Amino acid sequence: PEEMLSFLKAFREANIMTPVLASRSFNDQLLLDPASDGVIFPRDPFEPERTARAREFNESYQAKFGAEPNIWAANGADAVALLAEAIEQVGPNPDDIRTWLSQMPDWEGACGIFKFDSHGDVEKLPIISIYHDGQFMGYNDYKELTGS
């Protein structure tokens, strides 16, 4: 994140107005800076107020660590919880876990619904987002807010 922010500051100081597209790693509190304004990036859905599972994770994380969780904490917690459930269902054999994951019903975690295809890829679309006026927001919300 530090290198990205340095790049964005230099980019803005050079008065380059080209839109900036970034990767999922852009979703980081270190990038909450005016130089980041207008950067478009994909992010995994983690909205603590959206579902009971997300609220539960958010509350337990804050109680334990005294801070709000970020997307990486939520994804990590989901990965551990899903692996624990797989082991509980089929045991610790990696081949059995892989088979179970490819056949499991939709699984809800803090980051939403998870489903895997036969290749082991998560069938889940990211939210296209933008950094605007000091906050990360969905791109559709941004368009609605700005009328663009």
Side-chain angles (χ1 to χ4, degrees):
E2 293 89 1
E3 292 87 7
M4 174 61 107
L5 189 54
S6 293
F7 164 78
L8 288 170
K9 286 180 178 181
F11 199 73
R12 301 302 184 210
E13 287 170 9
N15 205 26
I16 299 171
M17 303 313 291
T18 303
V20 176
L21 303 177
S23 69
R24 281 186 161 112
S25 63
F26 189 80
N27 190 23
D28 191 295
Q29 298 299 312
L30 292 174
L31 295 165
L32 296 177
D33 185 279
S36 297
D37 203 59
V39 174
I40 300 168
F41 62 100
R43 70 181 163 96
D44 293 315
F46 173 59
E47 298 166 358
E49 66 285 345
R50 197 175 80 193
T51 66
R53 188 82 174 241
R55 280 190 300 277
E56 177 184 306
F57 169 73
N58 187 42
E59 290 167 6
S60 67
Y61 186 95
Q62 285 189 40
K64 184 169 186 166
F65 298 106
E68 286 193 33
N70 60 22
I71 185 62
W72 311 117
N75 269 332
D78 282 350
V80 170
L82 185 54
L83 178 60
E85 185 168 334
I87 291 170
E88 183 178 296
Q89 294 293 321
V90 297
N93 181 291
D95 291 332
D96 293 342
I97 291 171
R98 184 191 181 290
T99 299
W100 183 82
L101 288 173
S102 70
Q103 297 172 355
M104 73 175 193
D106 291 354
W107 185 88
E108 184 180 359
C111 294
I113 303 295
F114 287 80
K115 179 89 176 137
F116 294 88
D117 66 18
S118 61
H119 303 288
D121 295 323
V122 176
E123 295 178 344
K124 183 172 160 183
L125 295 174
I127 297 169
I128 303 303
S129 302
I130 188 167
Y131 181 77
H132 177 71
D133 282 345
Q135 64 181 342
F136 297 122
M137 63 177 20
Y139 191 74
N140 288 337
D141 295 336
Y142 165 78
K143 288 186 348 185
E144 194 173 293
L145 178 71
T146 61
S148 57

